[in-house]
């Protein structure tokens, strides 16, 4: 059994997107999941299902403690099972799993209805924030209305780059473009279109940059708003920008993702369940409460 396990926790602000018929525009604003969680708690567990690629996930439990909602998701694998490997060198197969069963991976989340903030345990088997948000959207079942989670970013991170700075290049890494926010997909298209606005050659790979040969000191790629939008999507895992405050300033290298609010905690051997040989939801959620309490002052700073 592993002696310790390092676990990552990410923080997000809950937002909703809906169509304002009066203004004829889509509007984004902070949203409270309290009502939808109360609705979800009344749904049979077996029907609280999220489709995640070839797998499914289930909202196993919803509990309310210390003014916070404790959410326990199970990501369920029903194919591609691993083999059993014995220390004696032999291997075996899981043969007693029925069609109604599967292997589950636990995902824990903590929701603060007062601040509209959700904290999610992240790992390689975790549900993406967009998948969890889509689950709540499906329960709401209102045409044109959706939830999404926006990463909490330190205001200084975004203030490092001003609108009037000269953007020279940007390298963007999107972990799962299929599950990226609709705004992110639209933003990628906008960036390509905006390349038509300058008279110089522009490289695109999803690295976009001015061609150094023949580039003028005052040249810029006009994608400030698009970069700010990309920084708000958790599927965007890398966003490195080179910029200049003005045409005579030195080039600066900025990482707009680095300042997201993230916590790590290393669970020791004493935290492992002896039967499951892992850190179970109850232990993880207890630690999440403790970490969240230490972040209360930070939550007033991060946007």
């Amino acid at each position: 059994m592993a002696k310790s396990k390092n676990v990552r926790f990410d923080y997000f602000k809950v937002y909703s997107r809906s169509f304002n018929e009066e203004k004829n525009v889509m509007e984004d604003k902070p949203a409270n999941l309290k009502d939808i969680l109360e609705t979800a708690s009344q749904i049979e567990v077996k029907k609280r299902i999220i489709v995640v690629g070839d797998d499914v996930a289930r909202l196993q439990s919803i509990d309310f403690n210390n003014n916070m909602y404790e959410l326990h998701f199970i990501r369920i694998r029903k194919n591609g099972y691993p083999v059993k490997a014995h220390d004696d060198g032999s291997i075996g197969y899981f043969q007693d799993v029925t069609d109604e069963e599967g292997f589950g991976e636990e995902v824990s989340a903590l929701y603060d209805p007062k601040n509209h903030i959700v904290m999610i345990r992240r790992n390689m088997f975790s549900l993406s924030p967009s998948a969890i948000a889509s689950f709540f959207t499906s329960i709401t079942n209102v045409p044109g209305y959706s939830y999404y989670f926006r990463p909490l970013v330190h205001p200084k991170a975004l203030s490092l780059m001003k609108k009037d700075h000269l953007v020279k290049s940007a390298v963007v890494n999107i972990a799962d473009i299929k599950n990226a926010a609709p705004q992110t997909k639209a933003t990628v298209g906008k960036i390509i279109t905006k390349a038509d606005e300058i008279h110089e050659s522009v490289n695109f790979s999803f690295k976009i940059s001015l061609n150094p040969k023949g580039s003028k000191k005052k040249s810029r790629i006009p994608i400030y708003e698009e970069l700010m939008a990309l920084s708000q999507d958790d599927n965007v895992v890398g966003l490195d920008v080179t910029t200049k405050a003005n045409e005579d300033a030195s080039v600066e290298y900025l990482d707009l993702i680095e300042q997201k609010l993230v916590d790590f905690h290393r669970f020791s051997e004493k935290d492992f369940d002896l039967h499951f040989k892992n850190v179970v939801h109850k232990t993880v959620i207890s630690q999440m409460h403790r970490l969240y309490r230490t972040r209360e002052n930070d939550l007033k700073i991060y946007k």
Side-chain angles (χ1 to χ4, degrees), residues 14 31-43 48 59 62 69 71 111 132-142 145 147 149:
V14 179
N32 197 327
L33 291 175
K34 181 178 179 179
D35 289 342
I36 203 66
L37 284 170
E38 294 297 334
T39 299
S41 67
Q42 302 303 313
I43 300 173
R48 297 199 297 243
L59 178 51
I62 306 172
Y69 286 92
L71 309 179
Y111 175 64
I132 296 174
S134 294
F135 170 68
F136 294 125
T137 296
S138 68
I139 295 177
T140 304
N141 195 28
V142 175
Y145 188 95
Y147 291 105
F149 299 161

Side-chain angles (χ1 to χ4, degrees), residues 21-195:
E21 293 185 3
E22 185 177 332
K23 297 180 180 179
N24 196 33
V25 296
M26 295 297 292
E27 288 186 333
D28 296 69
K29 57 184 179 182
N32 197 327
L33 291 175
K34 181 178 179 179
D35 289 342
I36 203 66
L37 284 170
E38 294 297 334
T39 299
S41 67
Q42 302 303 313
I43 300 173
E44 281 186 273
V45 172
K46 66 180 182 179
K47 294 181 179 180
R48 297 199 297 243
I49 296 297
I50 314 168
V51 177
V52 187
D54 295 330
D55 298 333
V56 296
R58 184 169 68 219
L59 178 51
Q60 188 68 25
S61 65
I62 306 172
D63 296 301
F64 189 72
N65 289 303
N66 298 318
N67 298 315
M68 306 276 278
Y69 286 92
E70 301 170 351
L71 309 179
H72 186 199
F73 293 93
I74 304 292
R75 184 167 185 169
I76 306 166
R77 296 169 57 187
K78 289 203 170 185
N79 53 51
Y81 296 154
V83 297
K84 294 188 293 185
H86 197 281
D87 287 345
D88 64 7
S90 64
I91 63 170
Y93 297 89
F94 296 96
Q95 299 176 340
D96 56 349
V97 181
T98 69
D99 291 341
E100 291 77 31
E101 296 175 317
F103 285 91
E105 300 285 351
E106 294 186 296
V107 179
S108 303
L110 192 66
Y111 175 64
D112 175 5
K114 179 181 177 181
N115 294 300
H116 307 170
I117 291 173
V118 62
M119 178 185 183
I120 303 176
R121 172 190 181 179
R122 305 299 299 278
N123 57 46
M124 64 182 294
F125 302 109
S126 181
L127 294 174
S128 70
S130 58
I132 296 174
S134 294
F135 170 68
F136 294 125
T137 296
S138 68
I139 295 177
T140 304
N141 195 28
V142 175
Y145 188 95
S146 62
Y147 291 105
Y148 68 95
F149 299 161
R150 182 181 292 180
L152 290 183
V153 180
H154 197 288
K156 286 186 177 180
L158 300 183
S159 67
L160 292 174
M161 188 171 71
K162 305 293 185 183
K163 189 171 184 178
D164 59 354
H165 283 184
L166 307 177
V167 177
K168 295 295 185 178
S169 70
V171 179
V172 184
N173 294 311
I174 302 176
D176 183 359
I177 190 63
K178 291 193 298 182
N179 288 317
Q183 184 180 7
T184 295
K185 295 177 182 178
T187 295
V188 172
K190 286 180 181 178
I191 289 177
I192 297 173
T193 300
K194 286 205 169 186

